[in-house]
Amino acid sequence: MSNYHIKNFPEYFHEYRKSVRNPELFWEEIAEEHFLWRKKWDNVLSWDFAKPEVKWFEGSKLNITENCIDRHLFTKGDKTAILFEPNDPKEPATHISYKELHARVNQMANVLKSKGIKKGDRVCIYLPMIPELAVSLLACARIGAIHSVVFAGFSANALATRINDSDCKMVLTSDGSYRGVKTIDLKGIVDEALESCSTVESVLVVKRIQSEINMKDGRDFWLEPLLAGASTDCEPEIMDAEDPLFILYTSGSTGKPKGMVHSTAGYMVYTAYTFKNVFQYRDSDVYWCTADIGWITGHSYIVYGPLANGATTVMFEGVPSYPDFGRFWEIVEKHKINQFYTAPTAIRALAKEGVQHVEQHDLSSIKVLGTVGEPINEEAWHWYDDNVGKKKAPIVDTWWQTETGGILITPIPFCTPTKPTYATLPFLGIQPALMDENGQEIKGNQAEGRLCIKFPWPSMARTIWGNHQRYKDTYFSAFENKYFTGDGALRDEVGYYRITGRVDDVIIVSGHNMGTAPIEDAINEHPAVAESAIVGFPHEVKGNALYGYVTLKETGESRNHDNLRKEINQMITEQIGPIAKLDKIQFTAGLPKTRSGKIMRRILRKIASNDTSNLGDTSTLLNPEVVQDIMDNVL
Ligand code: PRX
C-alpha cells in the first residue's frame, strides 16, 4: 500500500527510506493506486545515465487528460477546476467546473484536429494567462500533440527561434494581452515571428482585448466561432508512458535555448504526488500559484499537478502592482486562498511597498505559503512569514528546475520544521549528492559543493529536443553517473539543503533563467559594439540584475552614451524580450581575457558586485591593464 498523503515527520522518514531502498516498488504503488491507466506497465524503470536514457512505467498506456479531468467528472463534476481572476478587478472572476473544463478541452481538441493537428505534431502556444491557455495545453495532450508554450513576454525573435527549433505546425495566440494598465500586441509579435517560420500552417486567435489586428487569409482563424461549432466529445488519444507530453525552452549558459522534453506518465505521477504533499492540498481548498503557465512552475503546479488531484487552481491574468500593491492580498481574501505559491522577487517587491497593503486584507484562509525560482533571502522569508502567514502558515521553499519537471527539495508543511533560506530535505525518491571540485561525492553533513542527483525520478526531462548529445553534455558529463543541476548547495548539520545559486553562466533575474550568450549576441549585433560580457550583480528586488561590459569599435567614443545604452537595451528587447534588459551598461576599453582568449567573467562579476578585495591573480591575463581601468569606471 502506498501513502499518497504524508501527514507527519515520522511518516516522511518512513516513506523516504522506502523510496530510496526500493524506488521501483515505491513509485509503482503510487502509480497503481492513484491514477487511471488504459494498460499497466511492463517495467517500472529502466535507466542508464551514461547514455543517458530513463524510462518510467514502460509499456503502460494512458492519457493525462483522463487523469486530470475525466476521472473527476462523477465525483467533482461541479467543483471549480480553474478559477480565473482577470487583470481588471472590475471584471468578474470566472469559475470553470470540471464538467465545463471537459467540454472546453474537447472542443479545443476537435478544433486542433480539424486544422490537421495529430499525435506527435508540435503546437506553439503564445497566450496570456487566460483560461484558453490552460485549455490549449490540455487539448494538445488530449490528442497527443506536443505543446510548446512560449512565455508571452518573449519577443518575436525569441518566439521564432523556439517555433523553428521544434518545427511547430500551429500557433495559438490572442489578439493581445492585458498587463496592468498596458496592453500588448501579441498577434503583431506572432506575425513578425512568422515571417521567419516556414513550418506554421495555421494560427488560431483568441479574442481578448478586442484590438484591430491583421488576419492572414487561409492561415489565421478566430478561435471563438471554431470552438462554438466543435463537439464537446473527443476520445482521448491513448499514449505510451514515454511519449513526449511537452517541450519547454530554458536558457543555457551557452548557445540557443534548450527545448526540454517531458514525457507523459512519469511527469503526471510525480507532479501530482508532489502537489498533494508539498501543498497539503485538501479537497475543499483553493490553491493559487502566481507563476505564468509560460514557465515550468505553471505547467506543473497550475495545470497538471493540481488538476490531477481534482483541485481548484487559480489563474491570475494581471500583475501584483495593479491597480495597487494590494492586488495579491485582495485576491487571497476574495477567493479565500488556502495555499499561496509565489517567487522571492515578488515577495521582495511587495515588501518594499510597505505592510499596509497586506494589513488591509483578511488573509486568515492561508494555510501554506510557497516560494520558488531563486534563493529566498532571510529578510524576505521573515517578511513573508510574519506578514502574510502571520507565523502560522509554514513556508515551503521549493527547489527545482525546468529540467526536473517537479519539486525535488522542499519541506513538507506541518511535517518538516522549516529553516529560513533552506529548501530543507529531499522529496520522496530524490537522492541528492554534493560533489567536490575533483568530482568526488562529499559524504556527511556540513558540506558545500555542486548539487547532483544520483538516481532517476519520474518527472525528469528525457532529452533536449533535437539534440540528445547536448542533453548528455550539459547534465550527465560533469559527474559520472549523476544528473548535474548547475547549482551549488550546502548541507547543514542536520542534513538540510540550502541552494546557494548557479555555478555556471546562467543568471537568475527575478526568478527567470537568463543565459548570458544570447544577450551578448544581441548586443554584439549593434554596429558600434565590438564585444560584450554580461554578468549578474546583487539586486534588492530582482535577486540578481544584469551588468553589461561593452567595448565599442571606435575606442575614441565617449563612455557616457546614454543613447547607446538605450539602443542596446532596445536590441535586447527585440531579440529576447524586456525581461533580459540590462540594469547597468559600462563601456570598457577592453575585456579581461586569458591567454587563450576567454573572457574572465569571474573578475567582471566581482567588479560588478563591488567585491574587489580579492580579484585573484590577474597577472596571467593577456591584458591585465584593463582590469584597473574597468574598476576605475565601475557604475
Ligand atoms: O538556480 C535554481 C533556481 O532556479 C533554477 C531553475 O530555474 P527554472 O528552470 O527557470 O525553474 C524555476 C522554477 C522551478 C535552479 O537551477 N531555483 C529554483 N528554485 C529555487 C532556486 N534556487 C534557490 N531556491 C529555490 N527554491
Side-chain angles (χ1 to χ4, degrees):
M1 268 288 286
S2 71
N3 183 344
Y4 190 71
H5 186 182
I6 312 288
K7 291 178 217 67
N8 55 52
F9 212 28
E11 273 184 28
Y12 163 77
F13 273 116
H14 180 257
E15 292 300 313
Y16 184 74
R17 234 174 278 129
K18 249 171 74 181
S19 75
V20 295
R21 274 197 197 140
N22 192 342
E24 283 91 343
L25 180 66
F26 177 82
W27 288 113
E28 178 163 42
E29 285 181 353
I30 302 266
E32 189 151 10
E33 291 162 25
H34 302 283
F35 299 89
L36 189 65
W37 304 91
R38 290 294 187 111
K39 175 184 172 289
K40 293 272 163 72
W41 42 90
D42 306 316
N43 189 21
V44 179
L45 169 67
S46 62
W47 67 290
D48 178 355
F49 277 177
K51 279 185 179 169
E53 188 178 86
V54 173
K55 292 179 177 168
W56 283 93
F57 310 113
E58 211 179 342
S60 68
K61 304 269 184 201
L62 72 157
N63 186 288
I64 195 168
T65 66
E66 282 198 309
N67 282 274
C68 288
I69 310 172
D70 302 50
R71 68 168 164 149
H72 308 310
L73 292 178
F74 286 118
T75 49
K76 298 177 181 152
D78 295 318
K79 177 176 174 177
T80 301
I82 294 175
L83 200 174
F84 172 62
E85 175 66 33
N87 176 64
D88 183 350
K90 290 196 236 45
E91 191 184 325
T94 319
H95 292 252
I96 301 170
S97 69
Y98 273 92
K99 267 189 205 150
E100 284 159 347
L101 183 63
H102 183 252
R104 287 177 69 164
V105 167
N106 285 345
Q107 281 177 314
M108 182 83 90
N110 285 323
V111 170
L112 298 186
K113 281 207 276 190
S114 74
K115 294 289 169 210
I117 300 296
K118 36 182 209 318
K119 180 177 175 182
D121 286 344
R122 274 79 59 206
V123 173
C124 174
I125 302 173
Y126 187 72
L127 277 168
M129 281 288 284
I130 53 177
E132 287 81 356
L133 173 54
V135 169
S136 350
L137 269 68
L138 295 161
C140 287
R142 188 82 177 172
I143 62 170
I146 302 169
H147 56 75
S148 168
V149 183
V150 177
F151 171 62
F154 275 118
S155 70
N157 201 291
L159 175 61
T161 307
R162 288 158 175 77
I163 290 173
N164 287 331
D165 183 73
S166 47
D167 295 331
C168 292
K169 212 166 151 182
M170 173 187 271
V171 178
L172 282 156
T173 191
S174 62
D175 50 356
S177 64
Y178 294 118
R179 223 185 134 66
V181 286
K182 286 196 264 182
T183 57
I184 299 166
D185 174 22
L186 290 190
K187 179 61 169 49
I189 296 172
V190 170
D191 288 343
E192 195 187 327
L194 292 190
E195 282 171 23
S196 51
C197 302
S198 58
T199 54
V200 173
E201 293 167 9
S202 46
V203 178
L204 306 187
V205 188
V206 179
K207 195 168 261 186
R208 176 61 186 141
I209 66 165
Q210 325 289 332
S211 59
E212 280 285 312
I213 57 163
N214 171 48
M215 293 291 278
K216 188 169 169 183
D217 250 5
R219 185 195 73 180
D220 301 350
F221 304 91
W222 288 109
L223 199 58
E224 230 178 323
L226 295 175
L227 287 172
S231 158
T232 54
D233 289 321
C234 177
E235 267 304 298
E237 184 78 33
I238 304 308
M239 307 297 285
D240 288 337
E242 285 295 321
D243 279 338
L245 174 65
F246 66 85
I247 302 169
L248 186 60
Y249 287 87
T250 186
S251 308
S253 42
T254 55
K256 58 181 186 175
K258 299 170 286 189
M260 304 312 306
V261 179
H262 281 283
S263 68
T264 306
Y267 176 82
M268 171 183 79
V269 169
Y270 194 81
T271 53
Y273 186 54
T274 43
F275 173 76
K276 176 74 184 170
N277 288 292
V278 173
F279 299 102
Q280 291 286 307
Y281 185 84
R282 305 225 176 213
D283 254 356
S284 54
D285 288 347
V286 179
Y287 160 88
W288 181 22
C289 165
T290 69
D292 192 291
I293 293 175
W295 312 112
I296 191 70
T297 307
H299 280 59
S300 303
Y301 299 110
I302 295 179
V303 182
Y304 290 111
L307 296 178
N309 283 284
T312 297
T313 178
V314 174
M315 275 183 79
F316 174 47
E317 184 186 27
V319 292
S321 53
Y322 176 76
D324 60 48
F325 284 94
R327 182 69 163 127
F328 272 7
W329 319 124
E330 183 224 323
I331 296 173
V332 168
E333 178 174 4
K334 178 171 163 193
H335 298 302
K336 301 196 171 46
I337 303 294
N338 302 109
Q339 292 87 5
F340 177 76
Y341 191 27
T342 196
T345 186
I347 299 168
R348 289 189 296 262
L350 293 171
K352 212 169 145 228
E353 297 303 322
V355 78
Q356 70 278 10
H357 295 288
V358 191
E359 284 169 349
Q360 283 161 12
H361 298 282
D362 174 8
L363 308 184
S364 59
S365 56
I366 289 180
K367 296 193 280 192
V368 175
L369 292 173
T371 123
V372 61
E374 58 186 311
I376 180 164
N377 51 308
E378 195 143 359
E379 203 183 337
W381 196 98
H382 284 296
W383 187 87
Y384 202 30
D385 188 38
D386 293 348
N387 299 300
V388 184
K390 320 282 182 206
K391 287 197 159 67
K392 282 195 250 138
I395 296 177
V396 288
D397 177 355
T398 63
W399 172 82
W400 59 297
Q401 310 176 296
T402 305
E403 295 86 337
T404 69
I407 295 166
L408 298 198
I409 302 184
T410 179
I412 294 183
F414 314 108
C415 299
T416 320
T418 56
K419 176 173 175 180
T421 75
Y422 281 74
T424 76
L425 295 172
F427 191 75
L428 309 182
I430 302 305
Q431 304 187 34
L434 293 181
M435 310 300 290
D436 68 18
E437 301 275 308
N438 306 316
Q440 298 302 311
E441 182 175 349
I442 313 167
K443 302 271 182 172
N445 291 342
Q446 284 193 305
E448 180 160 12
R450 298 184 169 213
L451 180 62
C452 286
I453 313 290
K454 293 194 275 193
F455 195 87
W457 63 99
S459 67
M460 64 192 294
R462 301 299 196 255
T463 189
I464 291 175
W465 184 264
N467 199 343
H468 197 66
Q469 186 62 40
R470 188 176 180 200
Y471 177 66
K472 179 177 175 168
D473 294 344
T474 312
Y475 305 106
F476 297 92
S477 301
F479 302 100
E480 202 185 340
N481 214 20
K482 291 183 179 63
Y483 167 82
F484 174 45
T485 64
D487 282 333
L490 56 85
R491 195 163 49 213
D492 75 359
E493 62 290 351
V494 298
Y496 274 18
Y497 287 87
R498 175 186 186 174
I499 313 303
T500 47
R502 301 291 308 179
V503 294
D504 55 14
D505 285 334
V506 171
I507 306 165
I508 314 250
V509 180
S510 301
H512 301 316
N513 271 8
M514 293 290 148
T516 49
I519 306 177
E520 288 164 8
D521 289 348
I523 299 174
N524 296 348
E525 277 189 27
H526 192 290
V529 171
E531 63 175 350
S532 60
I534 304 297
V535 298
F537 70 100
H539 186 280
E540 214 189 321
V541 173
K542 301 177 184 181
N544 295 296
L546 299 173
Y547 194 114
Y549 296 93
V550 177
T551 310
L552 300 176
K553 284 181 184 154
E554 301 286 329
T555 45
E557 285 196 47
S558 145
R559 286 169 177 217
N560 205 2
H561 282 330
D562 273 345
N563 280 345
L564 201 49
R565 289 198 173 92
K566 277 193 199 124
E567 284 168 30
I568 286 172
N569 266 331
Q570 184 55 31
M571 294 200 69
I572 295 172
T573 306
E574 280 162 20
Q575 295 287 320
I576 302 162
I579 49 175
K581 282 204 290 197
L582 309 182
D583 268 45
K584 292 185 183 175
I585 300 177
Q586 179 180 354
F587 295 109
T588 57
L591 298 171
K593 291 195 182 148
T594 61
R595 291 190 188 273
S596 59
K598 213 170 162 257
I599 297 172
M600 283 293 276
R601 289 167 199 282
R602 186 178 51 78
I603 292 178
L604 294 174
R605 246 190 309 265
K606 287 199 160 212
I607 298 175
S609 309
N610 262 324
D611 170 24
T612 49
S613 55
N614 180 17
L615 283 186
D617 184 9
T618 55
S619 65
T620 57
L621 290 174
L622 193 63
N623 50 352
E625 70 286 353
V626 301
V627 175
Q628 191 57 50
D629 186 59
I630 290 175
M631 283 188 348
D632 291 345
N633 291 290
V634 72
L635 301 174

